[in-house]
């Protein structure tokens, strides 16, 4: 909300600079977000929190300045309002007392509708409100001065000299002052004359009962409307106004008549109006509320040493009624402070004005807990370390994705979760996989000529788990692009990760997967568990993501391998004997897998063959078509005995023989 | 004889001082200290020195040998080349080192780790909870009533009539308090969502860390104490902090916490030629808002079955992106989610 410095000074006896006042307000909870100083005046832009409708007025802010400085608050004085017009009648009927506990209507006759006097126009212009005519300007002036919204109808346009506060009927419509026809329904409160709605209660009046230059008599409305009702209506018809903004936060029930009087007096003085009949219907006094405030508790909660006298002084300064200054204060907030409901609310008031900055800083006595991370979080942090250690950069992509991206990655499933109110179609679905996000990140970087990179994300994916039930699981996705990238490189990254995480018995099983090339992809198995997929992404799939280069990726259901992770380590002793190393080079049919050859050698050589590791794969002129050349490095060793040359040679021959006999291999 | 030794020393030192290459030095070493060198020749003449002078002359000869030898050594260190053998093997040390590639954690992960670390050391436990939440945990239990303007600050993505994407991680506090008896101290880091149109300072997805401490005698001054430690560890010992009253439905009293601007150090302007220039980071205010905090509202305690008369606590919350942006000087929140490696590799 904007207020001008000069306007503020009319209600409180201070001489401090606008800058000083802005500083005070900020430090008591009325954050001044901008201060524009000119030679004559200053404009303060203030952020008013939703709990303080009383601050949505110049008088309310002046009250705060008065509480801070101890200087006198000067509430405007209305003066004499004698009724001089008696021939015009109005009836007021409230049909829904819950939604409208109080309604006042006053006739002001013989008005001269014309431009406002300069002082009035200036007040409004200063705070960014466009002057219209003296009557409308007076209602706006009172709204900003007192925080009570007012509305002026053209009395002669109201049918039947009657105001009925009721819920709208189904199918009723109203053309509001902004020229828009609006559909109403029975949840909305309206102000109606005998025939039709003439205002959406608390939001906006109708165009045809609006005050115009030809208006002679006005009916001035000042009322209290239920905050929730105004808020719902305002949202439903998508029309927010300075009035609805205040009603939905709650105006002062007891201030309704004062605002009407104030406006009537101004209409007398500046629109030549004559005072007519006043109707004030409904509850006039707010339910009193007395709160007990313990000074001991106040000091315990704040960590301060305030006296009852000091606390009382603060509360009194804010316009609260306070009983005798003793350990327990009995405090009655005025009707404009409905936000004060309980002791804690009063403690905040005391703390605010006392000054948060004066509250000491202490360390909680009971810090004795031990900081702790859940094992799951620790493992994730460790996984991130292992992956960055292998040269991969971490990315973070959005949880909300385009449905099309899921479709393009073949991941749109029945259990995909959708947002009911998305901002755009690009964020309408919750990701079921990290793959689309990483492919998009890859494209972004490839387009920027980054030609060699590896990225990963370890984050949540989402799916439906039943009717209105949802599942969130952590996935890991690794993506690699670049001159040396290939299936085995990304496989190696995953193998290192699994080894370090202590996942034993993982395996890669050749199975075609939807976005991967058949025969260049695999399922990642952790024991019997399907933990993920790995492979080279098909060109057709990449085209849908606008990627023209090769991409290798792997997605692991991290959540599912969690139970297989074991980062405990036991020392197993050092080998007592140095292993003997032998190589075998062979040529074999291409479809024979390395796994089969390894197994055959181990079976044939027996337990003394500790390791048989592929060292090289080669094709070339010496290798016939349809075959491949392989070299294995073998290590022979026993933990409790030094092997003799003879034992090693015998085992080695058995291994070779098995390769020849089982697979027709030619040993080179 | 003494004269001879003296002039030999002068000559040797002068020649050595003029030597330019290690070859020159080797030649001089042979000339003076070699088996047939000058020094040995002078030692040979020692036999012809009278017996009473022998110790003195011998001593002089020894000193000559040491002087020449050390002059040769120190000259060798100064020669231009390193000898023929070394020259052939020499390398260009200005060529770039061969780097093992090491990836980097996302700057948000790094920031989050920093924040977590500080609170872990203060005795907080890390608690996490679901991102898909119910209206109850996101609003009602946190004392945010339906149809109240305070909900405007928490516009929300809905999934069905009762489920939504959490708009703050305070939801985790409720879930923890439902399960755990006080006293407790937790922080809950995580992703949150709000349907804000994306621009340089808004993102529909971002990260928060919320903190909660509950015990019998927790005070507002404790909240100030804990946050002061956090702010100084995170942004530096010279960082100042201020508490401003504010309103949050789930705390009472509530505060917003500012730190002195990390760019202008709270002055509101940065030094530049011809006087100060308004600081663009804090907009000339000298302060940066980084946290919301307060004493847990009794209604929140009641919602989780804690007796508000018996227990007191404080809670605070901060945006990780905001902290990372301040810490690293990042001016656009979208950079975090674009995953441009030229950006990610700067941290």
């Amino acid at each position: 909300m904007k207020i001008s410095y000069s306007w503020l000074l009319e209600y409180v006896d201070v001489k401090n600079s606008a800058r000083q006042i802005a500083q005070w307000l900020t430090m008591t909870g009325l954050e001044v977000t901008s201060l524009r100083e000119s030679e004559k005046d200053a404009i303060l832009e203030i952020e008013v929190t939703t709990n303080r409708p009383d601050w949505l007025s110049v008088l309310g802010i002046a009250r705060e300045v008065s509480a801070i400085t101890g200087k006198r608050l000067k509430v405007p004085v209305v003066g004499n309002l004698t009724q001089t017009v008696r021939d015009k009648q109005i009836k007021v009927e409230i049909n829904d007392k819950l939604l409208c506990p109080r309604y006042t209507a006053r006739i002001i006759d013989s008005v001269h509708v014309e431009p406002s006097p300069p002082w009035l126009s200036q007040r409004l212009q200063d705070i960014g409100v466009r002057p219209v005519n003296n009557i409308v300007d007076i209602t706006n002036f009172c709204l900003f001065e007192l925080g009570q919204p007012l509305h002026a109808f053209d009395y002669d346009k109201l049918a039947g000299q009657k105001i009925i506060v009721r819920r709208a009927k189904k199918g009723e419509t109203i053309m509001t002052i902004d020229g828009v026809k609006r559909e109403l329904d029975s949840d909305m409160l309206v102000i109606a004359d005998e025939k039709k709605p003439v205002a959406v209660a608390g939001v906006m009046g109708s165009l045809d009962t609006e005050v115009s230059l030809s208006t002679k008599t006005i009916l001035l409305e000042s009322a209290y409307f239920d905050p929730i009702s105004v808020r719902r209506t305002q949202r439903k018809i998508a029309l927010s106004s300075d009035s609805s903004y205040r009603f939905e936060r709650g105006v002062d029930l007891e201030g309704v008549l004062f605002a009407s009087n104030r406006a009537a007096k101004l209409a007398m003085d500046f629109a030549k109006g004559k005072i007519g009949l006043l109707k004030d219907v409904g509850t006039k006094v707010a339910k009193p509320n007395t709160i007990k405030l313990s000074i001991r508790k106040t000091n315990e909660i704040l960590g301060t040493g305030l006296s009852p006298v000091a606390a009382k002084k603060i509360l009194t300064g804010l316009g609260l009624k306070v009983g005798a200054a003793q350990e327990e204060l009995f405090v009655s907030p005025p009707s404009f402070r409905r936000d004060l409901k309980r002791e804690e609310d009063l403690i905040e008031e005391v703390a605010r004005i006392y000054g948060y900055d004066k509250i000491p800083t202490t360390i909680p006595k009971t810090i004795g807990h031990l900081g702790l991370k859940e094992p799951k979080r620790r493992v994730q942090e460790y996984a991130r370390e292992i992956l960055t250690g292998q040269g991969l950069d971490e990315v973070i992509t959005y949880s909300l994705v385009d449905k099309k991206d899921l479709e393009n990655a073949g991941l749109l499933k029945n259990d995909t979760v959708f947002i009911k109110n998305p901002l755009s179609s690009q964020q309408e679905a919750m990701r079921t996989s990290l793959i689309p996000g990483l492919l998009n990140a890859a494209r972004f970087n490839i387009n920027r000529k980054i030609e060699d990179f590896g990225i990963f994300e370890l984050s949540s994916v989402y799916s439906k788990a039943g009717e209105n039930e949802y599942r969130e699981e952590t996935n890991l996705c690794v993506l690699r692009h670049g001159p040396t990238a290939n299936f085995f490189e990304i496989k190696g990254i995953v193998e290192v990760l699994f080894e370090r995480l202590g996942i034993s018995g993982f395996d890669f099983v050749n199975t075609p997967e939807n976005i991967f090339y058949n025969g260049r992809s695999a399922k990642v198995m952790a024991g019997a568990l399907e933990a993920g997929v790995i492979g080279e992404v098909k060109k057709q799939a990449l085209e849908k993501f606008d990627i023209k280069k090769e991409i290798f990726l792997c997605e692991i259901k991290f959540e599912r391998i969690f139970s297989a992770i074991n980062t405990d380590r036991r020392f197993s002793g050092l080998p007592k004997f140095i292993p003997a190393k032998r190589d075998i080079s062979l040529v074999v049919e291409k479809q024979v897998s390395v796994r089969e050859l390894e197994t055959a050698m181990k079976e044939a050589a027996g337990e003394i063959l500790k390791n048989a590791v592929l060292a090289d794969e080669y094709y070339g002129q010496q290798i016939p078509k349809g075959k491949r050349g392989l070299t294995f490095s073998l290590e022979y060793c026993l933990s409790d005995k030094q092997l003799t040359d003879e034992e090693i040679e015998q085992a080695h021959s058995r291994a070779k023989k098995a390769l020849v006999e089982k697979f027709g291999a030619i040993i080179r | 004889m003494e004269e001879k030794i003296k002039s030999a020393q002068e000559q040797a030192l002068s020649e050595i001082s003029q030597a330019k290459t290690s070859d020159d030095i080797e030649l001089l070493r042979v000339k003076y200290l070699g088996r047939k060198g000058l020094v040995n020749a002078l030692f040979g003449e020692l036999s012809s020195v009278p017996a009473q002078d022998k110790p003195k002359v011998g001593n002089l000869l020894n000193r000559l040998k040491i002087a020449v030898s050390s002059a040769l050594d120190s000259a060798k260190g100064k020669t231009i080349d390193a000898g023929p053998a070394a020259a052939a093997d020499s390398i260009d040390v200005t060529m770039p080192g061969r780097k093992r590639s090491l990836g980097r954690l996302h700057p948000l992960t790094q920031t989050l780790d920093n924040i977590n670390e500080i609170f872990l050391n203060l005795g907080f436990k890390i608690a996490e909870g679901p991102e898909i939440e119910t209206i109850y945990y996101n609003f009602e239990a946190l004392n945010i009533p339906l149809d109240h303007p305070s909900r405007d600050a928490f516009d929300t993505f809905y999934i069905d009539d009762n489920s939504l994407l959490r708009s703050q991680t305070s939801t985790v506090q409720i879930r923890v308090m439902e399960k755990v008896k006080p006293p407790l101290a937790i922080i809950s880091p995580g992703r949150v969502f709000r349907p804000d149109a994306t621009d340089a300072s808004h993102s529909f997805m971002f990260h928060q860390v919320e903190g909660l401490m509950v015990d019998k005698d927790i005070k507002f001054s404790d909240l100030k104490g804990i946050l002061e430690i956090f702010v100084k560890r995170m942004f530096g010992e010279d960082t100042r902090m201020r508490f401003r009253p504010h309103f949050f439905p789930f705390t009472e009293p509530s505060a917003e916490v500012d730190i002195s601007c990390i760019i202008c150090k709270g002055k509101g302007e940065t030094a530049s030629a011809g006087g100060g220039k308004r600081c663009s980071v804090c907009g000339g205010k000298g302060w940066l808002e980084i946290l919301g905090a307060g004493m847990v509202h009794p209604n929140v305690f009641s919602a989780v079955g804690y007796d508000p008369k018996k227990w007191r606590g404080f809670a605070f919350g901060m945006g990780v992106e905001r902290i990372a942006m301040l810490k690293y000087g990042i001016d656009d929140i979208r950079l975090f989610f674009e995953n441009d490696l030229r950006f990610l590799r700067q941290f």
Side-chain angles (χ1 to χ4, degrees):
Chain A
M1 192 184 70
K2 277 185 189 164
I3 64 163
S4 62
Y5 174 61
S6 60
W7 197 358
L8 179 69
L9 291 195
E10 287 197 13
Y11 308 100
V12 59
D13 238 342
V14 292
K15 299 205 166 52
N16 308 80
S17 68
R19 189 158 286 274
Q20 176 63 66
I21 288 173
Q23 166 73 10
W24 282 333
L25 290 174
T26 295
M27 294 311 286
T28 50
L30 270 150
E31 191 186 357
V32 177
T33 53
S34 92
L35 172 66
R36 214 157 23 88
E37 288 170 294
S38 64
E39 265 175 48
K40 279 183 281 174
D41 206 348
I43 307 296
L44 292 81
E45 178 106 44
I46 300 178
E47 191 197 321
V48 175
T49 51
T50 54
N51 62 326
R52 294 301 301 270
D54 62 304
W55 275 344
L56 293 169
S57 66
V58 182
L59 186 64
I61 291 167
R63 187 178 292 112
E64 194 65 31
V65 176
S66 156
I68 298 164
T69 57
K71 302 288 185 195
R72 196 171 58 90
L73 180 72
K74 299 187 287 186
V75 180
V77 179
V78 169
N80 190 17
L81 270 186
T82 314
Q83 186 182 341
T84 54
V85 177
R86 300 195 183 275
D87 57 338
K88 296 199 166 156
Q89 298 304 315
I90 190 75
K91 271 191 180 153
V92 173
E93 212 179 290
I94 302 177
N95 287 355
D96 195 322
K97 289 236 160 69
L98 278 178
L99 299 193
C100 177
R102 187 178 190 185
Y103 193 96
T104 71
R106 164 174 266 138
I107 294 168
I108 303 173
D109 197 19
S110 312
V111 291
H112 287 62
V113 181
E114 57 189 10
S116 292
W119 70 267
L120 179 52
S121 309
Q122 189 63 46
R123 280 277 176 258
L124 296 177
Q125 272 168 345
D126 283 347
I127 60 167
V129 175
R130 186 177 55 91
V132 180
N133 58 50
N134 49 0
I135 296 298
V136 173
D137 293 351
I138 285 167
T139 58
N140 278 333
F141 178 87
C142 291
L143 178 147
F144 288 106
E145 182 188 52
L146 307 171
Q148 170 66 47
L150 302 171
H151 184 65
F153 296 102
D154 186 329
Y155 173 81
D156 294 320
K157 292 184 179 151
L158 296 172
Q161 299 179 340
K162 209 169 181 186
I163 286 289
I164 306 161
V165 186
R166 60 165 168 86
R167 285 168 183 260
K169 292 167 191 157
K170 212 173 168 227
E172 267 185 332
T173 60
I174 186 170
M175 171 89 81
T176 42
I177 288 174
D178 56 359
V180 180
K181 192 174 163 187
R182 297 172 191 278
E183 312 258 328
L184 302 172
D185 67 41
S186 59
D187 288 336
M188 300 175 185
L189 192 71
V190 295
I191 312 303
D193 59 14
E194 199 156 57
K195 290 182 178 153
K196 59 182 190 310
V198 292
V200 182
V203 182
M204 199 175 270
S206 73
L207 187 61
D208 54 5
T209 57
E210 182 190 24
V211 171
S212 67
L213 290 176
S214 59
T215 301
K216 292 280 170 277
T217 308
I218 59 168
L219 185 77
L220 181 70
E221 166 198 288
S222 179
Y224 182 100
F225 298 116
D226 175 60
I228 292 176
S229 161
V230 172
R231 181 174 165 78
R232 283 187 184 160
T233 303
Q234 172 261 108
R235 298 204 120 194
K236 221 179 223 172
I237 63 175
L239 177 61
S240 171
S241 62
D242 284 323
S243 294
S244 68
Y245 195 80
R246 283 162 180 78
F247 281 123
E248 65 178 292
R249 283 160 174 77
V251 299
D252 177 10
L253 184 80
E254 292 179 11
V256 166
L257 183 60
F258 180 77
S260 172
N261 290 345
R262 171 75 167 151
K265 185 69 168 70
L266 290 171
M268 271 175 76
D269 293 350
F270 299 102
K272 303 190 176 74
K274 294 197 169 77
I275 302 300
L277 182 64
L278 168 77
K279 286 284 168 71
D280 183 353
V281 184
T283 317
K284 294 173 183 60
V285 183
K287 220 171 108 193
N289 180 22
T290 298
I291 310 165
K292 199 173 72 182
L293 175 67
S294 156
I295 300 300
R296 182 184 48 78
K297 188 172 169 190
T298 303
N299 285 321
E300 271 175 18
I301 286 183
L302 298 177
T304 50
L306 284 158
S307 69
V309 173
K312 179 176 171 170
K313 195 175 165 222
I314 287 171
L315 296 172
T316 314
L318 287 163
L320 280 56
K321 284 204 185 80
V322 186
Q326 53 202 22
E327 207 296 298
E328 283 186 340
L329 301 183
F330 290 89
V331 182
S332 307
S335 60
F336 56 80
R337 289 304 304 274
R338 305 316 280 173
D339 61 302
L340 301 177
K341 296 189 189 85
R342 54 197 305 158
E343 195 172 20
E344 284 75 11
D345 300 330
L346 295 178
I347 292 173
E348 181 177 69
E349 291 306 290
V350 172
R352 269 194 327 110
I353 303 296
Y354 174 69
Y356 279 13
D357 276 0
K358 285 190 217 145
I359 296 172
T361 55
T362 54
I363 298 298
K365 262 192 273 173
T366 46
I367 283 195
H369 319 275
L370 281 178
L372 189 70
K373 290 178 194 169
E374 296 294 321
K376 207 158 145 186
R377 189 173 185 93
R378 276 210 310 273
V379 165
Q380 288 184 17
E381 283 177 13
Y382 186 37
R384 285 194 174 95
E385 259 173 51
I386 297 166
L387 293 164
T388 53
Q390 298 190 76
L392 301 164
D393 290 309
E394 187 193 21
V395 299
I396 295 181
T397 67
Y398 291 123
S399 299
L400 303 180
V401 296
D402 198 326
K403 188 174 123 186
K404 268 192 228 132
D405 278 351
L406 290 176
E407 225 163 44
N408 289 339
L411 292 161
L412 189 63
K413 291 172 194 149
N414 291 336
D415 63 354
T416 304
V417 180
F418 286 94
I419 303 295
K420 270 172 65 180
N421 56 332
L423 283 172
S424 82
S425 65
Q426 288 167 333
Q427 298 130 20
E428 65 185 328
M430 303 209 67
R431 62 183 179 198
T432 52
S433 155
L434 303 174
I435 291 175
L438 259 73
L439 285 175
N440 286 330
R443 180 191 56 242
F444 188 96
N445 286 294
I446 291 171
N447 287 349
R448 279 155 188 78
K449 296 273 177 279
I450 299 170
E451 276 149 358
D452 190 4
F453 60 84
I455 51 177
F456 76 95
E457 182 169 19
L458 185 60
S459 194
S460 299
V461 298
Y462 315 81
S463 57
K464 275 186 202 149
E467 189 63 29
N468 296 345
E469 279 177 53
Y470 305 94
R471 190 183 293 123
E472 290 172 41
E473 291 176 305
T474 304
N475 271 20
L476 167 68
C477 191
V478 179
L479 180 149
R480 185 70 181 94
H481 164 74
T484 63
N486 62 31
F487 179 88
F488 298 104
E489 195 206 40
I490 198 155
K491 180 181 174 186
I493 290 170
V494 176
E495 285 174 322
V496 167
L497 175 71
F498 278 26
E499 280 161 18
R500 288 294 182 91
L501 292 177
I503 299 173
S504 53
F506 59 89
D507 202 358
F508 297 81
V509 183
N510 212 341
T511 315
E513 283 291 340
N514 50 17
I515 63 163
F516 298 111
Y517 281 116
N518 196 340
R520 284 168 171 270
S521 61
K523 274 185 188 164
V524 183
M525 306 295 294
L529 206 74
E530 225 176 86
V533 290
I534 185 168
E536 179 174 354
V537 185
K538 272 195 288 210
K539 210 173 149 198
Q540 300 91 303
L542 289 176
E543 271 167 5
K544 291 182 184 157
F545 286 86
D546 223 0
I547 298 176
K548 293 174 190 73
K549 305 278 176 73
E550 305 82 66
I551 296 285
F552 298 87
L553 67 76
C554 172
E555 185 170 47
I556 305 283
K557 296 186 168 75
F558 203 77
E559 198 90 19
R560 300 199 188 159
I561 58 165
F562 188 69
S563 57
I565 290 170
N566 178 8
T567 50
D568 290 342
R569 295 289 181 265
R570 301 268 320 154
F571 179 55
S572 63
L574 295 173
K576 290 195 190 73
F577 306 103
I578 307 296
K581 297 190 176 177
R582 299 284 189 278
D583 282 355
I584 298 181
S585 286
L586 66 150
V587 175
V588 72
E589 293 293 330
K590 209 181 152 194
Q591 62 266 32
V592 177
S593 76
V594 165
R595 173 75 49 85
E596 290 172 280
L597 298 169
E598 278 170 7
T599 313
M601 286 188 282
K602 280 188 178 162
E603 274 172 10
E607 57 157 354
I608 71 165
L609 177 54
K610 272 275 156 331
N611 278 314
V613 181
L614 181 73
D616 196 13
E617 180 197 26
Y618 49 94
Y619 297 91
Q621 284 176 336
Q622 318 93 300
I623 311 294
K625 232 178 158 201
K627 303 200 173 204
R628 59 174 172 167
L630 298 170
T631 300
F632 287 91
S633 290
L634 285 66
E635 274 186 15
Y636 292 98
C637 157
L638 277 179
S639 58
D640 53 354
K641 172 172 175 288
Q642 181 68 55
L643 295 171
T644 64
D645 279 353
E646 204 186 345
E647 283 170 313
I648 294 166
E649 287 315 321
Q650 280 175 1
H652 197 58
S653 317
R654 288 201 300 276
K656 284 186 199 165
K657 202 174 151 207
L659 296 177
V660 173
E661 287 177 356
K662 282 196 172 161
F663 306 104
I666 299 159
I667 307 292
R668 286 151 53 92
Chain B
M1 186 69 191
E2 283 176 39
E3 276 303 305
K4 237 175 165 175
I5 293 170
K6 200 179 161 197
S7 82
Q9 180 157 345
E10 276 168 13
Q11 188 195 341
L13 294 186
S14 141
E15 281 178 25
I16 291 167
S17 74
Q18 282 161 33
K20 287 201 172 62
T21 67
S22 53
D23 290 357
D24 296 346
I25 291 175
E26 282 315 303
L27 287 174
L28 289 170
R29 192 185 296 278
V30 173
K31 179 175 175 188
Y32 290 102
L33 301 181
R35 202 156 44 85
K36 291 178 181 169
L38 189 60
V39 176
N40 262 0
L42 288 170
F43 270 108
E45 287 176 31
L46 192 59
S47 55
S48 58
V49 172
Q52 71 274 21
D53 290 343
K54 267 186 186 166
K56 191 181 167 194
V57 175
N59 195 16
L60 281 171
L61 278 172
N62 277 332
R63 275 160 54 186
L64 169 67
K65 194 174 174 181
I66 290 165
V68 173
S69 168
S70 80
L72 283 166
D73 287 348
S74 80
K76 190 167 184 188
K78 290 177 194 152
T79 53
I80 298 160
D81 65 5
D89 292 340
S90 75
I91 53 167
D92 176 2
V93 296
T94 67
M95 278 165 54
R98 213 175 301 140
K99 296 173 190 168
R100 305 260 167 151
S101 75
L102 199 56
R104 291 160 204 264
L105 292 176
H106 194 284
L108 289 177
T109 304
Q110 294 187 39
T111 307
L112 205 51
D113 286 349
N114 281 347
I115 297 170
N116 289 345
E117 184 72 20
I118 294 170
F119 287 107
L120 281 167
N121 285 335
L122 287 168
F124 286 75
K125 290 179 185 174
I126 296 182
E128 287 168 289
E131 293 166 29
I132 300 177
E133 265 294 1
T134 61
I135 290 179
Y136 177 77
Y137 286 104
N138 200 65
F139 290 126
E140 285 161 29
L142 288 163
N143 197 35
I144 309 173
L146 187 72
D147 288 318
H148 191 271
S150 60
R151 271 207 192 178
D152 286 351
F154 303 96
D155 266 355
T156 311
F157 284 118
Y158 283 86
I159 287 173
D160 60 43
D161 292 342
N162 190 39
S163 308
L164 44 74
L165 297 187
R166 66 179 176 193
S167 53
Q168 70 258 339
T169 54
S170 320
T171 51
V172 181
Q173 301 178 358
I174 303 297
R175 288 183 176 276
V176 169
M177 287 194 282
E178 280 179 344
K179 276 190 229 120
V180 180
K181 285 202 178 114
L184 60 87
I186 54 159
I187 54 166
S188 43
R191 256 173 210 219
V192 299
F193 303 84
R194 289 180 198 173
D196 283 333
T198 302
D199 61 26
S201 48
H202 295 88
S203 175
F204 65 87
M205 178 183 102
F206 56 101
H207 297 74
Q208 274 193 337
V209 176
E210 300 260 342
L212 170 74
M213 185 178 269
V214 182
D215 205 338
K216 283 185 177 139
D217 50 6
I218 296 290
K219 302 186 289 286
F220 194 86
S221 56
D222 294 336
L223 170 63
K224 285 185 77 176
I226 289 286
L227 290 182
E228 189 172 74
I229 292 173
F230 166 71
V231 157
K232 286 184 184 295
R233 296 245 174 110
M234 195 75 202
F235 295 102
E237 279 300 317
D238 59 345
T239 311
R240 284 168 294 128
M241 173 186 82
R242 74 174 188 186
F243 269 53
R244 278 183 291 108
H246 198 71
F247 169 70
F248 299 112
F250 28 83
T251 49
E252 189 82 26
S254 305
E256 271 185 343
V257 183
D258 299 338
I259 56 166
S260 51
C261 178
I262 53 178
I263 300 301
C264 67
K265 300 289 169 205
K267 287 196 281 288
E269 48 187 40
T270 47
S272 74
K277 200 176 133 229
R278 204 173 79 132
C279 175
S280 62
V281 172
C282 63
K285 287 186 198 147
W287 296 95
L288 297 164
E289 180 199 325
I290 59 152
L291 276 150
M295 302 301 286
V296 178
H297 197 286
N299 289 354
V300 174
F301 278 153
S302 300
V304 298
Y306 285 10
D307 182 354
K309 290 202 182 74
K310 200 168 155 195
W311 300 103
R312 289 211 304 266
F314 64 68
F316 57 83
M318 66 190 95
V320 180
E321 279 78 358
R322 168 128 179 105
I323 290 187
M325 287 169 87
L326 291 175
K327 198 170 166 63
Y328 297 122
I330 297 166
D331 56 4
D332 192 328
I333 196 169
R334 290 169 291 200
L335 286 166
F336 290 119
F337 307 109
E338 253 171 21
N339 295 305
D340 188 332
L341 286 159
R342 296 167 303 177
F343 168 78
L344 297 176
R345 287 177 178 166
Q346 291 186 28
F347 304 99

